[in-house]
Amino acid sequence: MGAEGVALDAPSIQALPLVLGDAALAQRALANVIENARKYAAGASLAVRGESDAARASLIVEDEGPGLGADPESLFGAFVRGVQGDGRAPGLGLGLAIARAYQEAQGGRLEAENRLDRKGARFTLSFQLAKT
């Protein structure tokens, strides 16, 4: 387990190739995604792992919460919250919008989808590979 209940697949993350990007922006984007998952997955398991292919390296954040609904893309809008008035901690609905902006500012991507293998959500933070 990683920090505060997040299961980190350290070998897959350490095996990622060198990427282009800004470390501070990437760290904040990842933190926003994890904070969002903690808030909306309501204590469900949360895991982070790495994947790469010939063009990109990615950090995958998965939870086993309720999922993202019918339109995950809408969650990247400013001031959008998953469900209104359900007693959760207050928030502005900016975390995912900011995380995506940070990823795009460094040539990366942030995508969200409902998990197909089980209940929950999957967020993929992708980075361009560095030329070696």
Side-chain angles (χ1 to χ4, degrees), residues 15-19 50-58 109 124 126-130:
L16 290 174
L18 189 62
V19 298
E51 287 184 359
S52 65
D53 60 27
R56 296 189 143 329
S58 300
R109 294 190 307 236
T124 304
S126 299
F127 302 85
Q128 294 179 27
L129 298 181

Side-chain angles (χ1 to χ4, degrees), residues 36 39-40 68 74-96:
N36 189 77
K39 181 187 284 188
Y40 292 97
L68 302 172
S74 69
L75 299 174
F76 292 106
F79 305 107
V80 174
R81 296 190 67 212
V83 177
Q84 297 296 324
D86 64 358
R88 286 179 302 208
L92 295 175
L94 292 172
L96 292 179

